[in-house]
Every structure is written in C-alpha cells, then in structure tokens.
C-alpha cells in the first residue's frame, strides 16, 4: 500500500468521491456517469462500490464540460479529448525513444 504522502502527490490516485468530483468540475453526477459510459474516464471503485476519481480524470472531465458548454456534443467532446490524450502520449513515447541529437 502506498504511503499517504505518495497518494496526495499522485495525480492518478482516486481521491475524490463522485459528489466531490462533480462539485470540483462544476457539473452534475449524471454528467460524470455519462463520461464513464463514453469511456472518457473510468473511475475506480471503492470497497463499497462507489466511484472514485483522480485529479487526472477531473482534468479530462473539466475539459469535456468546457467543450460541451461551448456547444460541442458530449460524444464528440469525449472522442476529441481521447484522441488528444493518445496523441500526447504517442509524442511523449516518441521523444523518449528518439531524443534529439546533441550538436
């Protein structure tokens, strides 16, 4: 089990309940459930079966909320964010595998 200091510094640690996550993002719990259905976020479950969200997932949810507020359909917003996230990860991996040559 991770030390508590490690958990608070870990952006992937599922620290937030659904209610608190919705409050932080400024949206409803139904909106968060819909993001889960659309596979944008997959919250972990507590021993009691309650959804728990990480800071990383909250950032994705906040981005989706912003896009929806600007008129993008929720399905399209989720797909765009997923693709942006995949691209960012691919670029990071590519940069690690192919560092720039020192001159």
């Amino acid at each position: 089990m991770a030390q508590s200091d490690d958990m608070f510094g870990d952006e992937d640690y599922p620290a937030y309940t659904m209610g608190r996550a919705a409050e932080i993002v400024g949206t409803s719990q139904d909106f968060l459930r819909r993001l889960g259905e659309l596979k944008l976020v997959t919250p972990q479950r507590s021993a009691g079966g309650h959804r728990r969200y990480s800071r990383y997932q909250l950032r994705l949810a906040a981005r989706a909320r912003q896009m929806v507020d600007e008129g993008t359909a929720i399905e399209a917003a989720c797909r765009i964010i997923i693709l942006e996230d995949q691209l960012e990860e691919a670029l990071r991996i590519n940069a690690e595998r192919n560092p720039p040559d020192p001159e």
Side-chain angles (χ1 to χ4, degrees):
M1 185 166 151
Q3 297 293 327
S4 62
D5 289 345
D6 294 338
M7 290 184 247
F8 292 118
D10 182 356
E11 75 170 11
D12 294 318
Y13 181 73
Y16 303 96
T17 63
M18 177 179 267
R20 182 68 179 127
E23 183 179 308
I24 290 169
V25 175
T27 191
S28 68
Q29 292 181 20
D30 285 339
F31 184 82
L32 293 177
R33 283 187 199 93
R34 185 74 175 123
L35 296 182
E37 292 169 6
L38 293 169
K39 308 286 191 235
L40 179 62
V41 296
T42 304
Q44 290 190 14
R45 298 286 182 147
S46 68
H50 301 283
R51 291 173 179 87
R52 305 285 295 191
Y53 296 86
S54 68
R55 287 185 302 193
Y56 172 73
Q57 292 171 326
L58 295 184
R59 281 197 303 277
L60 294 178
R63 176 80 174 112
R65 181 183 157 258
Q66 177 186 16
M67 292 178 76
V68 169
D69 287 351
E70 292 171 353
T72 304
I74 190 170
E75 295 84 0
C78 289
R79 186 68 181 139
I80 289 166
I81 294 166
I82 289 168
L83 289 171
E84 288 174 343
D85 200 47
Q86 289 172 344
L87 175 60
E88 184 178 315
E89 179 68 7
L91 291 172
R92 184 191 61 76
I93 290 169
N94 189 46
E96 287 175 359
R97 290 184 181 166
N98 303 300
D101 291 327
E103 291 184 32

